[in-house]
Amino acid sequence: GYTGTQCESDIDACEENSQPCYEGVHCLDFPAPANVSGYECGPCPTGLTGDGETCDDIDECDTATNGVTCEHICVNYPGSFECDCNTGYKLSENDQDCDDVNECEPAHDCSHVCNNVAGSYFCSCNDNFELSSDNKTCTPTDPCSG
């Protein structure tokens, strides 16, 4: 359509509809004779889905729909996602898998022997010593022998 006292101006449907597209999405105004409904919104930003006028977050963590495979934890953000790992693990270089953290290296809090296991560690003692109630300190089994 046209506007103006003598219909000399093309209606800008994007302006007339107060920029109807989702934030950051381009609004394309159709040329005359299109009226106030003569516009089209571009595609939604990456990580969002919709018609460009309305865009909703894609839950990348919904593996049934989107196939993202975080080994431990998937955290969805608007427009994106991030993988994380359980305690005792760290994110691998592919940003999806989790690698065990060796809690025994480079240093540990065991008084004798540190044993790394998947996701954790435990302390043990040398012969003739036993593990104290703190599960870290070793005490002699017979302090008077020797």
Side-chain angles (χ1 to χ4, degrees), residues 2-82:
Y2 293 96
T3 187
T5 54
Q6 296 183 10
C7 300
E8 72 279 3
S9 300
D10 178 20
I11 292 175
D12 184 337
C14 295
E15 287 298 321
E16 289 293 319
N17 287 286
S18 302
Q19 297 299 330
C21 301
Y22 188 82
E23 184 179 339
V25 173
H26 177 71
C27 183
L28 174 65
D29 176 49
F30 296 150
N35 59 20
V36 292
S37 63
Y39 68 91
E40 181 177 85
C41 295
C44 292
T46 301
L48 302 176
T49 185
D51 61 7
E53 194 166 331
T54 302
C55 298
D56 296 309
D57 180 46
I58 296 171
D59 184 354
E60 291 88 355
C61 296
D62 181 358
T63 55
T65 307
N66 299 302
V68 170
T69 54
C70 294
E71 186 175 1
H72 287 181
I73 301 165
C74 185
V75 182
N76 187 59
Y77 295 108
S80 188
F81 76 98
E82 186 175 278

Side-chain angles (χ1 to χ4, degrees), residues 61-135:
C61 296
D62 181 358
T63 55
T65 307
N66 299 302
V68 170
T69 54
C70 294
E71 186 175 1
H72 287 181
I73 301 165
C74 185
V75 182
N76 187 59
Y77 295 108
S80 188
F81 76 98
E82 186 175 278
C83 295
D84 200 2
C85 298
N86 297 329
T87 302
Y89 294 86
K90 64 181 178 189
L91 206 56
S92 69
E93 289 184 16
N94 70 8
D95 290 331
Q96 290 184 328
D97 295 327
C98 295
D99 296 329
D100 177 51
V101 172
N102 186 345
E103 292 88 354
C104 297
E105 292 180 6
H108 56 80
D109 58 357
C110 300
S111 66
H112 281 190
V113 180
C114 181
N115 303 280
N116 186 59
V117 294
S120 190
Y121 75 101
F122 67 92
C123 300
S124 60
C125 301
N126 296 329
D127 290 341
N128 301 317
F129 287 84
E130 63 185 3
L131 201 57
S132 299
S133 60
D134 66 1
N135 289 324

